[in-house]
C-alpha cells in the first residue's frame, strides 16, 4: 500500500459514512415527531423537561436507558405508577417510599412537580422500538395478570409490603394475605387503615375509583 | 525538545495530572454510594452531583492533556515556534477557571442536566471561546511554515471536528428524543471519532520519534486507521439510536457499522507492535513505549472487545442502561484516552525538563497498579451488569430489588477503585519527580 492509497481510504471512508449518516439523520429527524407523538408535547412537558435537567435527575436515573445507573429507569414509569402517587412521592420521596437506597428531597414546588409528571407521561408514550423488553420469564409464562396487580404496582404498594420476596418491610408480607383476611376486611383496610390499626402509617386509598378498588381487592384476595 | 515554546505543554500536563487525581477521588466517592445504602452526604454531595463531577473532571483533564500534547507536537512537526505562548497560557487559565466554576456550581446545585454536558450554558460559551483561542493559536503556528505533514493534518482535523461537535450539545431542545439524538453527536462522535484522530496522530508522532521508522510507513497507516475509524464510527453512531424514539432501520445500520469498529483498533495494535519491532534507533527511555503498547492493548480490549460485546441490538436490548455500560465506559476511557495521555506525558516531560532519571521503576509500578485495578473494577461491573440484566430483564425483578443482589460486586468494584487511586497517586508522585522545565528565556 502507498501513502496515496492510504489517503484514498481515509477520504472515501469518511465521505461514504458521512453521506449515509447525514441522509439517515435527515430522515430520522423528519420521522421523530410522529414516533414521539410530538403533537402532545405541551409547554408543561417542555417545562418539565427543563425541571428534569435543572435538578440533574439524569445523573442518578437513566431515561431512554441513558444516564446514571443508581436509580430506576424512568422511560416507562408512568405505565407503572399513578400520577397522584408520583406527585406525592416527588414531594417527599422517603416518606412515600422508604426504600433502603434513598432519593433526596429536592424541595420541588407543586408547579415543578406537575410539569415533571407531564414530562414523564409524555416520555412514556415515545415509541422506543420495544425497549425495555418485556421480561422473558413473564413473556414465556404467558399468564395474563389480574388487573388488580397493575393497580398494586401503580400505587407503589411494594414500597412497604412484600409479595413473593419482593418489596419493603414497613408493612406485613402480603404473599398469602387472601388466606387470612376476607375481601371485606381488605377493602376496609384499604379505605381506612386506622380502623384496624389505630397507629398505622399506611395511607388511605379511598381515592381509588370503584373499579380499581374492586380489582385490587380481588387481586389481594386471590393471594392464598 | 527542539523549540523553546514547546515548554508551554508542561503547564498543561501539570493541570491534567492534578485533575486526574481529583477525578478518581470523586470516583471513589460515587462508588461508595453503591456499596452503602445509607448515604450520610445525601444532602451535601448526592450521587448525581458526585457523578457529574467525576465524569466532567475526566473529560476536562483528558482535553487539557490533548491540548498540551498538541502544543508539544505541532512545533516539531511544523518546524517553528508556537504562534503565541502567551495566548496558550491564557487559554489554559481560562479553561481551568471555567472548570472550577462548573464544579462549585454543581455543588451549589447549578446544572444543565444532560450527562457529561452538565455545564450551565454560560460556561459552555466560555468553553467555546477557549476552543477558538486554541484552534487559532494552533492554526497560526501551522501557517507560519505551511509544512503540512499527515500527522499534523489529522491532528488539526480531529481538533476542528471535536470543537464543531461540541456545538450540538449546547442548545435546549424541547423533545427529549431529539435532544438525545444530538447529544450523541457530542458523546459518541467524540470518543469514537474526533478523539481517535487526535489520539492516533499523537501516538503516530511518538512512535515515529522513538523508533525512527520511516515517516511514510507511519503516516500511511495513520490514514488507513483513522479512515476506518471514521467509516465505521460515523454511521456507527446508530448503535445509540436503537431505543430512543428513532426509526427501526438504525438497528441494522448501527449494528453493522459499529460491529466493524474494532477493526481499526486492532490495526493500531499491530501497527504499534510493528513499529517497535522494526525500530531503527536504540531507545534509551523505554517508559513511553511501555505505556504506548499497554494503551494499544487496553484500547482494543476496552473499546473493541467490551464495546463489541453489547453493540448488536439483539444483545443491547437486554444490557442497555445497566452496569454493563458502566463497565465498558471505564475500560474504554481508561485504555484509550487515559493511557494515551500518560504516554504523551512520559514522552514529552523528560524532553522538556531535560532531567535524565536512572531507572524508571516507579512509572511501571503505577502502570501495573492502574491496569490491574481497572481490570478488576470493570470485571466486577461487568458481572454486576450481567446479573442485573438477568434479574431485571429476564426475571422481571424490580430495579431496586436487583441492587441487593449486586452488593458483592459493588464492593469488589470499590476495593479495586482504591487500587486505581493508589496507581494514580504513584503516577502523580512520579510526574513531579521528572523535574521542572528550565525558565523560559526571552
Ligand atoms: C477510583 C476509581 C473509580 C471509581 C470507584 C469509579 C466509579 C464510578 C461510578 C460509581 C460511576 C457512576 C456509574 C453510574 O452512573 O452508575 C462512574 C462513572 C464513570 N466513570 Fe468512574 N470510577 C473510577 C475511576 C474512573 C476512571 C479512571 C475513569 C476513566 C478512565 C472513569 C470513567 C468514568 C466514566 C466514563 C463514567 C460514566 C460511565 C457511563 O456513563 O457509562 N472512572 N465511575
Ligand atoms: C475509545 C473509545 C470508546 C470510549 C471512550 C467509549 C465510551 C463509552 C461510554 C462512556 C459509554 C456510555 C455513555 C453513556 O450512556 O453515558 C459508551 C456506550 C456504548 N459504547 Fe462505547 N466507547 C468507545 C468505543 C466503543 C466501541 C468501539 C464500541 C463498539 C464496538 C462501543 C459500543 C458502545 C455501546 C453499544 C454503548 C451503549 C451502551 C448502552 O446501551 O447503554 N464503544 N461508550
Ligand atoms: Fe458509541
Amino acid at each position: 500500500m502507498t501513502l496515496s492509497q492510504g489517503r484514498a481510504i481515509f477520504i472515501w471512508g469518511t465521505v461514504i459514512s458521512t453521506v449515509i449518516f447525514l441522509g439517515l439523520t435527515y430522515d430520522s429527524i423528519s420521522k421523530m415527531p410522529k414516533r414521539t407523538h410530538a403533537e402532545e408535547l405541551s409547554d408543561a412537558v417542555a417545562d418539565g423537561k427543563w425541571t428534569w435537567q435543572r435538578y440533574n435527575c439524569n445523573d442518578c436515573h437513566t431515561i431512554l436507558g441513558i444516564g446514571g445507573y443508581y436509580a430506576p429507569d424512568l422511560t416507562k414509569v408512568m405505565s407503572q405508577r399513578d400520577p397522584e402517587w408520583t406527585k406525592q412521592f416527588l414531594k417527599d420521596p422517603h416518606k412515600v417510599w422508604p426504600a433502603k437506597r434513598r432519593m433526596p428531597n429536592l424541595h420541588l414546588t407543586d408547579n415543578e412537580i406537575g410539569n415533571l409528571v407531564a414530562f414523564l407521561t409524555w416520555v412514556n408514550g415515545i415509541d422506543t422500538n420495544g425497549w425495555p423488553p418485556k421480561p422473558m420469564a413473564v413473556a414465556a409464562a404467558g399468564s395474563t395478570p389480574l388487573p388488580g396487580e397493575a393497580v398494586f404496582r401503580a400505587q407503589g404498594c411494594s414500597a412497604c409490603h412484600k409479595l413473593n420476596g419482593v418489596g419493603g418491610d414497613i408493612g406485613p408480607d402480603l404473599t398469602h394475605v387472601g388466606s387470612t383476611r376476607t375481601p371485606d376486611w381488605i377493602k376496609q383496610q384499604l379505605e381506612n387503615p386506622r380502623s384496624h390499626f389505630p397507629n398505622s402509617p399506611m395511607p388511605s386509598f379511598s381515592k381509588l375509583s370503584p373499579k380499581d378498588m374492586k380489582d385490587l381487592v380481588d387481586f389481594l384476595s386471590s393471594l392464598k | 525538545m527542539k523549540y523553546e515554546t514547546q515548554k508551554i505543554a508542561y503547564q498543561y500536563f501539570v493541570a491534567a495530572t492534578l485533575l486526574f487525581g481529583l477525578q478518581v477521588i470523586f470516583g471513589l466517592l460515587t462508588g461508595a454510594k453503591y456499596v452503602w445504602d445509607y448515604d450520610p452526604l445525601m444532602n451535601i454531595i448526592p450521587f448525581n452531583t458526585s457523578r457529574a463531577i467525576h465524569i466532567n473532571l475526566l473529560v476536562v483533564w483528558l482535553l487539557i492533556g490533548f491540548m498540551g500534547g498538541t502544543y508539544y507536537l505541532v512545533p516539531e512537526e511544523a518546524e517553528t515556534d508556537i504562534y503565541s505562548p502567551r495566548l496558550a497560557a491564557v487559554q489554559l487559565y481560562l479553561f481551568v477557571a471555567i472548570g472550577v466554576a462548573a464544579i462549585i456550581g454543581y455543588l451549589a446545585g447549578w446544572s444543565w442536566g444532560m450527562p457529561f454536558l452538565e455545564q450551565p450554558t454560560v460556561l459552555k460559551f466560555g468553553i467555546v471561546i477557549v476552543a477558538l483561542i486554541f484552534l487559532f493559536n494552533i492554526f497560526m503556528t501551522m501557517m507560519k511554515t505551511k509544512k503540512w505533514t499527515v500527522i499534523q493534518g489529522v491532528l488539526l482535523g480531529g481538533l476542528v471536528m471535536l470543537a464543531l461537535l461540541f456545538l450540538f450539545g449546547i442548545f435546549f431542545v424541547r423533545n427529549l428524543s431529539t435532544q438525545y439524538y444530538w447529544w450523541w453527536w457530542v458523546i459518541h462522535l467524540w470518543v469514537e471519532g474526533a478523539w481517535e484522530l487526535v489520539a492516533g496522530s499523537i501516538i503516530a508522532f511518538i512512535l515515529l520519534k522513538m523508533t525512527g521508522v520511516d515517516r511514510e510507513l507511519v503516516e500511511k497507516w495513520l490514514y488507513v486507521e483513522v479512515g476506518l475509524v471514521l467509516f465505521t464510527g460515523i454511521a456507527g453512531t446508530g448503535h445509540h439510536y436503537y431505543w430512543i424514539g428513532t426509526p427501526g432501520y438504525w438497528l441494522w445500520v448501527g449494528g453493522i457499522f459499529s460491529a466493524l469498529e474494532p477493526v481499526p483498533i486492532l490495526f493500531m495494535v499491530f501497527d504499534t507492535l510493528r513499529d517497535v519491532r522494526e525500530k531503527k534507533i536504540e531507545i534509551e527511555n523505554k517508559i513511553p513505549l511501555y505505556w504506548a503498547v499497554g494503551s494499544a492493548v487496553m484500547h482494543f480490549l476496552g473499546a473493541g472487545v467490551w464495546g463489541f460485546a453489547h453493540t448488536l441490538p439483539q444483545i443491547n436490548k437486554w444490557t442497555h442502561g445497566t452496569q454493563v455500560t458502566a463497565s465498558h465506559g471505564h475500560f474504554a476511557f481508561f485504555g484509550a484516552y487515559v493511557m494515551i495521555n500518560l504516554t504523551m506525558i512520559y514522552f514529552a516531560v523528560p524532553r522538556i525538563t531535560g532531567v535524565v532519571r536512572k531507572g524508571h521503576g516507579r512509572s511501571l509500578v503505577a502502570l501495573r497498579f492502574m491496569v490491574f485495578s481497572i481490570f478488576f473494577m470493570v470485571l466486577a461491573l461487568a458481572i454486576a451488569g450481567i446479573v442485573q440484566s438477568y434479574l431485571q430483564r429476564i426475571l422481571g425483578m424490580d430495579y431496586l430489588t436487583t441492587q441487593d443482589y449486586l452488593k458483592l460486586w459493588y464492593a469488589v468494584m470499590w476495593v479495586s477503585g482504591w487500587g486505581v487511586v493508589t496507581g494514580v497517586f504513584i503516577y502523580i508522585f512520579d510526574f513531579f519527580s521528572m523535574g521542572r522545565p528550565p525558565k523560559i528565556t526571552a
Side-chain angles (χ1 to χ4, degrees):
Chain A
M1 172 144 24
T2 64
L3 187 69
S4 62
Q5 283 168 327
R7 189 188 304 125
I9 290 182
F10 172 71
I11 292 172
W12 285 107
T14 309
V15 169
I16 292 173
S17 199
T18 305
V19 168
I20 295 174
F21 186 60
L22 291 181
L24 294 182
T25 291
Y26 179 81
D27 184 73
S28 293
I29 292 296
S30 63
K31 290 198 173 121
M32 280 165 72
K34 183 136 187 290
R35 296 183 56 97
T36 60
H37 64 118
E39 69 284 353
E40 282 167 41
L41 206 167
S42 63
D43 286 344
V45 172
D47 289 349
K49 175 170 178 288
W50 174 240
T51 306
W52 164 262
Q53 287 183 225
R54 213 182 88 60
Y55 289 92
N56 200 19
C57 308
N58 213 169
D59 264 323
C60 283
H61 292 274
T62 47
I63 193 160
L64 300 173
I66 307 164
Y69 314 107
Y70 185 70
D73 186 87
L74 298 182
T75 315
K76 298 287 173 190
V77 68
M78 295 317 284
S79 306
Q80 302 257 326
R81 302 280 185 233
D82 168 270
E84 271 319 304
W85 184 88
T86 310
K87 284 182 186 163
Q88 279 174 29
F89 173 76
L90 289 173
K91 196 82 197 160
D92 190 352
H94 192 63
K95 186 160 150 243
V96 175
W97 185 317
K100 276 188 279 180
R101 188 184 285 169
R102 294 184 184 193
M103 169 163 162
N105 187 336
L106 300 168
H107 304 291
L108 302 163
T109 65
D110 288 341
N111 188 29
E112 286 173 327
I113 290 177
N115 291 338
L116 275 171
V117 171
F119 169 65
L120 291 173
T121 306
W122 174 80
V123 169
N124 191 61
I126 295 174
D127 179 352
T128 56
N129 290 325
W131 190 89
K134 210 182 193 47
M136 236 184 237
V138 178
S143 64
T144 30
L146 288 174
E149 192 174 344
V151 180
F152 188 86
R153 250 188 292 133
Q155 295 300 329
C157 307
S158 53
C160 296
H161 295 281
K162 269 204 177 49
L163 262 195
N164 301 316
V166 176
D169 299 320
I170 309 290
D173 191 324
L174 298 181
T175 312
H176 305 294
V177 66
S179 60
T180 53
R181 304 292 187 193
T182 63
D184 284 343
W185 190 95
I186 293 174
K187 183 155 187 282
Q188 172 76 12
Q189 172 69 16
L190 289 168
E191 282 172 347
N192 187 1
R194 299 227 165 123
S195 65
H196 288 139
F197 307 102
N199 295 320
S200 174
M202 174 164 155
S204 160
F205 290 87
S206 51
K207 59 164 185 177
L208 290 182
S209 71
K211 172 167 187 327
D212 281 356
M213 180 59 88
K214 176 169 186 310
D215 288 346
L216 186 54
V217 171
D218 287 351
F219 168 63
L220 291 169
S221 307
S222 77
L223 300 172
K224 294 269 160 86
Chain B
M1 190 177 72
K2 297 204 174 104
Y3 297 87
E4 185 73 18
T5 48
Q6 280 177 291
K7 263 183 216 154
I8 191 76
Y10 182 77
Q11 298 180 43
Y12 278 79
F13 296 149
V14 172
T17 298
L18 295 177
L19 294 177
F20 184 20
L22 203 57
Q23 181 229 329
V24 291
I25 289 176
F26 271 94
L28 279 185
L29 183 65
T30 316
K33 295 169 193 284
Y34 272 111
V35 181
W36 289 279
D37 279 326
Y38 179 70
D39 177 6
L41 296 177
M42 185 174 72
N43 293 312
I44 309 166
I45 311 181
F47 182 90
N48 55 349
T49 306
S50 176
R51 180 185 199 259
I53 296 176
H54 174 57
I55 59 184
N56 276 236
L57 281 170
L58 167 72
V59 174
V60 167
W61 88 256
L62 292 175
L63 286 175
I64 289 181
F66 282 148
M67 288 171 172
T70 306
Y71 278 124
Y72 184 86
L73 180 157
V74 168
E76 247 171 73
E77 286 286 298
E79 299 182 355
T80 178
D81 268 305
I82 293 290
Y83 171 75
S84 166
R86 176 158 320 142
L87 218 47
V90 170
Q91 182 222 320
L92 175 62
Y93 300 144
L94 189 59
F95 200 7
V96 171
I98 292 172
V100 171
I103 292 176
I104 294 175
Y106 297 153
L107 291 171
W110 190 31
S111 174
W112 192 68
M114 292 294 288
F116 291 93
L117 299 177
E118 295 92 345
Q119 313 78 249
T121 310
V122 233
L123 297 184
K124 285 214 182 71
F125 283 117
I127 297 170
V128 170
I129 293 172
V130 170
L132 288 176
I133 299 176
F134 174 66
L135 290 177
F136 172 76
N137 209 2
I138 294 301
F139 184 71
M140 293 307 282
T141 308
M142 292 179 178
M143 287 306 284
K144 281 206 281 180
T145 59
K146 300 208 177 89
K147 251 190 110 266
W148 298 106
T149 64
V150 175
I151 289 179
Q152 267 189 91
V154 171
L155 178 61
L156 184 64
L159 293 171
V160 170
M161 179 177 169
L162 199 164
L164 287 178
L165 289 170
F166 184 64
L167 302 178
F168 290 90
I170 296 183
F171 297 100
F172 179 87
V173 180
R174 284 164 63 100
N175 186 318
L176 182 75
S177 294
T178 326
Q179 181 94 57
Y180 264 121
Y181 193 96
W182 303 120
W183 182 84
W184 283 114
W185 283 38
V186 189
I187 308 306
H188 168 96
L189 286 174
W190 266 11
V191 297
E192 287 155 75
W195 290 30
E196 290 280 10
L197 268 61
V198 175
S201 49
I202 288 178
I203 287 293
F205 171 77
I206 293 174
L207 289 173
L208 178 68
K209 296 284 157 166
M210 291 202 68
T211 64
V213 292
D214 285 343
R215 179 179 279 273
E216 164 123 10
L217 180 79
V218 170
E219 296 198 323
K220 164 175 94 183
W221 284 106
L222 179 60
Y223 262 144
V224 174
E225 284 155 9
V226 296
L228 292 179
V229 163
L230 292 178
F231 177 70
T232 57
I234 292 176
T237 315
H239 66 178
H240 303 293
Y241 294 160
Y242 299 154
W243 328 116
I244 66 164
T246 28
Y249 49 69
W250 286 111
L251 274 69
W252 287 96
V253 179
I256 291 170
F257 277 87
S258 72
L260 293 170
E261 284 183 46
V263 172
I265 307 177
L266 188 60
F267 279 14
M268 294 179 200
V269 179
F270 293 144
D271 200 19
T272 308
L273 294 177
R274 192 208 43 236
D275 289 353
V276 173
R277 206 171 46 240
E278 295 179 2
K279 64 177 188 295
K280 299 221 171 101
I281 42 186
E282 217 26 70
I283 303 167
E284 281 166 37
N285 176 8
K286 290 206 176 64
I287 287 292
L289 226 46
Y290 284 113
W291 282 94
V293 173
S295 171
V297 175
M298 293 293 277
H299 184 179
F300 178 67
L301 292 177
V305 177
W306 249 237
F308 181 81
H310 61 152
T311 206
L312 296 176
Q314 294 83 347
I315 292 174
N316 191 264
K317 183 167 189 170
W318 307 98
T319 60
H320 180 54
T322 67
Q323 297 291 347
V324 169
T325 311
S327 173
H328 157 71
H330 280 90
F331 207 171
F333 258 112
F334 178 82
Y337 301 120
V338 171
M339 291 192 78
I340 280 165
N341 260 287
L342 298 189
T343 306
M344 181 72 201
I345 288 175
Y346 274 113
F347 174 79
V349 171
R351 286 171 170 74
I352 293 174
T353 63
V355 174
V356 183
R357 296 190 302 171
K358 292 207 199 63
H360 32 240
R362 209 189 293 126
S363 174
L364 290 187
V365 174
L367 185 144
R368 288 197 195 104
F369 246 105
M370 282 189 221
V371 168
F372 280 108
S373 311
I374 279 281
F375 195 71
F376 274 104
M377 202 175 121
V378 302
L379 224 48
L381 287 173
I383 296 173
I386 292 167
V387 174
Q388 185 191 355
S389 309
Y390 177 76
L391 295 176
Q392 213 178 319
R393 309 248 194 264
I394 311 277
L395 297 187
M397 190 184 282
D398 151 81
Y399 169 86
L400 278 175
T401 314
T402 64
Q403 297 301 300
D404 283 341
Y405 294 81
L406 306 180
K407 279 276 147 70
L408 169 66
W409 304 108
Y410 289 147
V412 176
M413 172 269 283
W414 201 67
V415 172
S416 317
W418 278 95
V420 177
V421 170
T422 310
V424 173
F425 278 82
I426 296 173
Y427 154 71
I428 294 179
F429 189 71
D430 195 50
F431 176 86
F432 286 105
S433 74
M434 284 191 283
R436 285 161 178 281
K439 278 252 164 337
I440 295 197
T441 46

